[in-house]
Amino acid sequence: FGFLHGFNVEEDLVGNLASMSTKERIKAIQKLPETMRKKRDIRNKVLKEITKKSRHRGAQPSCCTQCLQGAAVSFRRFGNTLSEYFHLLRIWHNALKIIGAEFGTSVLSYFVFLKWLLNFNLFSFLINFGFITIPQFLAAEPNNLSFTGLELFTGAGYFQETVLYYGFYTNATISKTENGPSYNMQLAYIFTVGTYFVICFLILLFSMAKSFYGNFVNPQAFSGNASKLLCTWDFNITNERAVKLKQKNLSTQIKEDLTEVNKEVVVFSVMERFVRISVHLLAWVASLGTAVAACTGVYFLSINNLKLFVKGHRNDLESQAAMLVLPVIASLLNALVPFFFSWLGHLERFQTPGQHIYVTITRIIILKMSIVGILCYYWLNIVATSESQCWETLVGQDIYRLVLVDFIFCLLGSFFGEFLRRIIGTTVFVSLGLPEFDIGRNVLDLIYAQTLTWIGILFSPLLPGIQMIAFLIVFFVKKVSLMRNCQPPRKVWRTAQMMTSFMLLLFCPSFLGVLSVTGVTVWRLKPSEGCGPFRGLSSMYAAVSEWIQILEGYTASKWVVWIYQNLITSELFFFILSTIVL
């Protein structure tokens, strides 16, 4: 009898829903306290009931209406199928859910940021490859250099005469047929790079604004303690493993929120405050002194590196190995010094893990951006004025080696910093226990790598593709190392603002610094006479000025000339734009 009663109730529900309008029916089904599968069954029964009634009334739709309805259903099914396939292609989706459940949002924020940078470099690679590299293939001459395998590490030799570097690109107007459409490589090169940086600027601003609004201006719209407990369960989950994962994820998030609410305020005596301030000052003096010493070493090493290039490129093993000295030392400093900074942070004994992480991030960003600044000074003021035939390619090779060696050190950091630390903590010094994932150091490694990629785009257009592959490998290596070698943070804490901090650091000083370097290169430096698309010009920007002079003779292009003269070359326009943005 209970079964019959339930059947009658469902039959009455279907009849009531069938009598409603489409909009009311959709809202009513959404509000039903049932699983998604049950709601779909009810919806299908309602549609069958409506179809049965319409046939009974003789209200047969026209042929045109049937075709439109059939097409709409087909497109909807096709869209759902595509959505399912794209969901399967997001290979990191399940990994992020597991990391968030096991280690909390603080560690998860690193992997979300890494995934975001991976998509960023994919976009950059597609733009450069489509508008710069593919047209160059039409005008490329055969490469007569032999490939030895060492080029994979040095970036020199065979790669010198490929589309990997600036010096290989032609300054001619490419045309496949004699009277067909032409492609100006000079304009394509500078406009592609310029447009990419403008798009990056807008994407970073939008991402920062969105993250800032969600975490600072209106945080309750994105996370609420009561709603998290009562309203966030997904009734569509039926798999037992997925249910346990979701329960663990919600449990971790609620612990983080409760830790934020129940945060204790520790009151120190005057003597304790004096000791703490003294320790902090000594730690800052030690960290800044270490950064200055590292930058001094990189500067003198870079001067010695240039002497190797001026003497000429030799293909013997000793010369090839000498090229790797600068990137190895720079990467070694970037890998080892942050461990020292983390150790200083432990000595300072901050009250919360967030304070420890943010102070460590600040010290590491000072170190890494100082090293990048020294290298940029070396490239723009020493290499660019040297006697080399194609200084842009030399800079591109330097950046290629820095990116590659930094990637290798990143993988070695997972082995020595996490795997060996786990072995020592579980066998030799058991009191140490398992290591925790160092968020600050790992995030700054990503920002440093992305900064090198942005600087290198002008000198090596395909560098984002190399960095994209590196980030993809790093994602899975770090994920495996995290799951096997690390433990969750001992102190659970909420990190809603951490992604905003990452975006801010990526924008300033990283991206704004890169814009400054690119601006000096394009407007102030003289291109090489014998290579690259801007050979023979006083500056890269001179290609745009010459193009505008040609357009002045065409009436239909007067609006382009007006924009150039009144906006692009106007200091007032850039001053107003900078004021609005900043």
Side-chain angles (χ1 to χ4, degrees), residues 537-553:
L537 298 177
S538 59
S539 67
M540 294 182 183
Y541 187 71
V544 180
S545 303
E546 292 180 1
W547 178 59
I548 293 296
Q549 290 177 2
I550 295 173
L551 290 182
E552 288 177 351

Side-chain angles (χ1 to χ4, degrees), residues 395-506:
V395 174
Q397 290 173 357
D398 261 349
I399 298 176
Y400 172 88
R401 287 189 286 270
L402 282 165
V403 168
L404 181 66
V405 175
D406 179 73
F407 164 67
I408 294 172
F409 270 79
C410 185
L411 300 183
L412 291 176
S414 294
F415 177 77
F416 289 103
E418 294 163 2
F419 174 70
L420 289 184
R421 169 68 175 76
R422 176 178 70 86
I423 299 298
I424 293 171
T426 53
T427 57
V428 182
F429 300 104
V430 182
S431 59
L432 292 176
L434 295 175
E436 293 185 23
F437 189 78
D438 194 334
I439 302 169
R441 178 175 56 84
N442 283 285
V443 166
L444 268 299
D445 286 344
L446 297 181
I447 293 178
Y448 172 75
Q450 187 59 42
T451 304
L452 290 178
T453 305
W454 276 334
I455 296 173
I457 281 177
L458 193 63
F459 309 105
S460 179
L462 297 185
L463 197 59
I466 298 171
Q467 192 63 270
M468 177 184 65
I469 297 171
F471 279 160
L472 186 63
I473 296 173
V474 166
F475 183 94
F476 288 104
V477 170
K478 289 290 183 183
K479 184 247 179 183
V480 172
S481 177
L482 175 74
M483 302 302 294
R484 293 183 178 273
N485 302 321
C486 300
Q487 65 173 337
R490 293 185 180 91
K491 294 181 180 179
V492 181
W493 59 292
R494 187 170 170 265
T495 56
Q497 297 87 12
M498 186 157 278
M499 196 65 184
T500 308
S501 304
F502 296 165
M503 293 290 180
L504 182 62
L505 288 173
L506 189 65

Side-chain angles (χ1 to χ4, degrees), residues 176-237:
K176 198 168 184 181
T177 58
E178 189 173 345
N179 297 321
S182 59
Y183 195 83
N184 192 319
M185 181 54 76
Q186 288 183 343
L187 296 178
Y189 202 99
I190 195 168
F191 281 143
T192 300
V193 174
T195 303
Y196 167 72
F197 277 121
V198 170
I199 294 173
C200 285
F201 183 78
L202 296 175
I203 290 175
L204 284 172
L205 277 183
F206 175 77
S207 300
M208 282 194 303
K210 182 180 178 182
S211 183
F212 181 81
Y213 178 81
N215 294 319
F216 291 94
V217 179
N218 190 22
Q220 291 305 319
F222 292 82
S223 62
N225 297 331
S227 63
K228 204 168 273 184
L229 183 62
L230 302 174
C231 307
T232 55
W233 187 258
D234 186 359
F235 286 94
N236 196 30
I237 299 176

